[in-house]
């Protein structure tokens, strides 16, 4: 069952990659940090999918490091998105939270990274 869960986490990272790339492309990659999830999520996803079929110790170690970085990157992204809402006209108004940077997407990267770590080391 843990393999199925790890495979699902890999696919989820690949779906997040598509969404985050579309959002950041729409904003013309105005800040260097927009590249972090665009480059990181497909690497996380592919490594998890490969790990599902090829259980190697070095790959487990690599995924542990990558997913820990994913947690930190998601937290940093949350900070940047909250900051981005405040930089819009009128600052932290409800309208800016609704049309500005999505607050839940970076948190989802952290959450999926954490779930991936749990699945990797549960058994």
């Amino acid at each position: 069952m843990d393999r199925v869960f790890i495979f699902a986490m890999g696919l989820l990272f690949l779906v997040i990659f598509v969404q985050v790339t579309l959002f950041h492309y729409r904003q013309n990659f105005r800040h260097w940090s927009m590249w972090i999830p665009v480059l990181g999520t497909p690497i996380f996803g592919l490594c998890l999918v490969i790990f599902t079929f090829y259980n190697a110790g070095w790959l487990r170690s690599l995924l542990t490091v990558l997913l820990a970085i994913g947690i930190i990157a998601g937290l940093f992204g949350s900070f940047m998105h909250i900051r981005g809402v405040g930089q819009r006209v009128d600052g932290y108004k409800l309208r800016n939270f609704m049309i500005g940077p999505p607050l839940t997407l970076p948190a989802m990267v952290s959450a999926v990274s954490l779930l991936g770590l749990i699945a990797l080391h549960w058994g």
Side-chain angles (χ1 to χ4, degrees):
M1 190 63 176
D2 58 336
R3 298 264 185 191
V4 173
F5 192 70
I6 290 169
F7 184 73
M9 293 292 102
L11 293 180
L12 185 54
F13 268 119
L14 295 175
V15 171
I16 291 171
F17 161 70
V18 172
Q19 188 63 53
V20 86
T21 301
L22 291 172
F23 280 157
H24 289 171
Y25 178 78
R26 182 180 68 183
Q27 293 300 317
N28 296 318
F29 293 96
R30 286 189 282 170
H31 193 270
W32 64 267
S33 64
M34 290 179 159
W35 286 101
I36 295 171
V38 171
L39 298 174
T41 53
I43 293 171
F44 301 162
L46 290 174
C47 286
L48 285 165
V49 168
I50 291 169
F51 182 75
T52 303
F53 301 105
Y54 179 67
N55 187 359
W58 67 268
L59 190 52
R60 180 182 298 270
S61 299
L62 176 65
L63 277 167
T64 300
V65 171
L66 288 176
L67 293 173
I69 291 170
I71 293 170
I72 295 166
L75 293 172
F76 177 68
S78 293
F79 166 76
M80 294 301 289
H81 279 218
I82 291 168
R83 192 175 124 207
V85 169
Q87 290 174 346
R88 297 181 68 83
V89 175
D90 286 339
Y92 295 102
K93 300 281 183 168
L94 178 61
R95 173 172 158 64
N96 289 337
F97 281 101
M98 296 184 67
I99 63 172
L103 298 181
T104 56
L105 200 52
M108 190 181 317
V109 171
S110 286
V112 175
S113 296
L114 179 61
L115 288 174
L117 276 174
I118 291 169
L120 265 175
H121 297 289
W122 187 265

